[in-house]
Amino acid sequence: MSSTSTASLRTADTRPAPDLDAYAAYQTPLAVRQACRSGALTGPTAGMAPGYVQGNLAVLPKDLAEEFLRFCHFNPRPCPVIGMSEPGSFKVPTLGEDLDIRTDFPGYRVWQDGEVIADTADVTDYWRDDLVAFVIGCSLSFEEALMAEGLPLRHVERNVRVPMFRTNVQCVPAGRFSGRMVMSMRPLIPAHAIRAIQITTRFPAVHGAPLHVGLPELIGITDLMKPDYGDAVEVLENELPVFWACGVTPQSVIAEAKPAFAITHAPGCMLVTDRRNTEFSIL
């Protein structure tokens, strides 16, 4: 990945941390999506519409869609597909009858040849008849289960976005798509880390159990206070950094594959669907 591309990624990821008090009115998926459409909501969606599934986004031209779907099938941990549109359609009825992929995320990134060319709250003007949208599962679904069991999540307590890192773990390639996996990190004491593994194993459709615990240098992370996406949170002396596969991985892969055109969500700015988190638990 070029230094210019890295700069583009980090420059576009400067949205403010979520203000949960200001967003208290957004308690249903429809309320969140309507706020996105009107432009009233342009920031992260953490804490909104509790109990409902949120999703990441990757939009690609039809001629790349089959390869990307194969890539997701080969890499289900970082890229669990929970919804997909027909070519040219901005609807995904299985996730919400009124849902509009072009307007219902609070933030988007538009890509050209692997570079971010626009950071916007609406991609209607960029939409084309050959585009296919993929909605990918999000860790906010299993975070609700973690918090229900009393496990503290520092980024939630501080109203910031979870820190995410481009690791040295290579995804299984498919056609033109390959690259390094992105992982999200949550610091936990050992007893909580064990319980978190048990809980998140029940959610394979939204990343499942952690892929790595402790020793971040083994997965190519040299400084936990410098995430590639999201916001830094410290890891205390009695804590372990626990890493989960992350749905921002397609952005890392798009940066390396350099397709002529793509659209993704801005990290932290998710689609709030009408599906319940409990639907994605296997136990």
PDB file of all heavy atoms in Angstrom, residues 20 118 133 150 174 205 269 281:
ATOM      1  N   LEU A  20     -23.222   9.952  22.810  1.00  0.00           N
ATOM      2  CA  LEU A  20     -24.373   9.092  23.034  1.00  0.00           C
ATOM      3  C   LEU A  20     -25.565   9.867  23.576  1.00  0.00           C
ATOM      4  O   LEU A  20     -26.710   9.503  23.316  1.00  0.00           O
ATOM      5  CB  LEU A  20     -23.991   7.956  23.990  1.00  0.00           C
ATOM      6  CG  LEU A  20     -22.886   7.021  23.477  1.00  0.00           C
ATOM      7  CD1 LEU A  20     -22.717   5.844  24.409  1.00  0.00           C
ATOM      8  CD2 LEU A  20     -23.183   6.537  22.071  1.00  0.00           C
ATOM      9  N   ALA A 118     -13.326  10.667  -1.954  1.00  0.00           N
ATOM     10  CA  ALA A 118     -14.390  11.468  -1.337  1.00  0.00           C
ATOM     11  C   ALA A 118     -14.797  10.832  -0.021  1.00  0.00           C
ATOM     12  O   ALA A 118     -14.842   9.615   0.126  1.00  0.00           O
ATOM     13  CB  ALA A 118     -15.598  11.577  -2.259  1.00  0.00           C
ATOM     14  N   ALA A 133     -23.966  -4.141  -3.790  1.00  0.00           N
ATOM     15  CA  ALA A 133     -23.653  -3.787  -2.402  1.00  0.00           C
ATOM     16  C   ALA A 133     -23.574  -5.037  -1.531  1.00  0.00           C
ATOM     17  O   ALA A 133     -24.441  -5.913  -1.609  1.00  0.00           O
ATOM     18  CB  ALA A 133     -24.717  -2.835  -1.854  1.00  0.00           C
ATOM     19  N   GLY A 150     -21.564  -7.966  31.764  1.00  0.00           N
ATOM     20  CA  GLY A 150     -20.786  -7.125  32.663  1.00  0.00           C
ATOM     21  C   GLY A 150     -19.332  -6.950  32.294  1.00  0.00           C
ATOM     22  O   GLY A 150     -18.542  -6.459  33.098  1.00  0.00           O
ATOM     23  N   ALA A 174      -8.697 -14.320  -3.477  1.00  0.00           N
ATOM     24  CA  ALA A 174      -9.700 -14.777  -4.434  1.00  0.00           C
ATOM     25  C   ALA A 174      -9.662 -13.838  -5.622  1.00  0.00           C
ATOM     26  O   ALA A 174      -9.985 -12.655  -5.497  1.00  0.00           O
ATOM     27  CB  ALA A 174     -11.088 -14.790  -3.809  1.00  0.00           C
ATOM     28  N   ALA A 205     -21.561 -15.256  12.706  1.00  0.00           N
ATOM     29  CA  ALA A 205     -21.986 -14.394  11.594  1.00  0.00           C
ATOM     30  C   ALA A 205     -21.540 -12.954  11.765  1.00  0.00           C
ATOM     31  O   ALA A 205     -21.678 -12.153  10.840  1.00  0.00           O
ATOM     32  CB  ALA A 205     -23.507 -14.448  11.439  1.00  0.00           C
ATOM     33  N   CYS A 269     -19.166   4.267  11.105  1.00  0.00           N
ATOM     34  CA  CYS A 269     -20.443   4.786  10.588  1.00  0.00           C
ATOM     35  C   CYS A 269     -21.188   3.660   9.879  1.00  0.00           C
ATOM     36  O   CYS A 269     -21.021   3.434   8.687  1.00  0.00           O
ATOM     37  CB  CYS A 269     -20.188   5.947   9.627  1.00  0.00           C
ATOM     38  SG  CYS A 269     -19.396   7.361  10.405  1.00  0.00           S
ATOM     39  N   SER A 281     -27.083 -15.221  16.911  1.00  0.00           N
ATOM     40  CA  SER A 281     -26.461 -16.061  17.930  1.00  0.00           C
ATOM     41  C   SER A 281     -26.820 -17.506  17.669  1.00  0.00           C
ATOM     42  O   SER A 281     -27.972 -17.832  17.352  1.00  0.00           O
ATOM     43  CB  SER A 281     -26.957 -15.657  19.323  1.00  0.00           C
ATOM     44  OG  SER A 281     -26.492 -16.566  20.301  1.00  0.00           O
TER      45      SER A 281
END
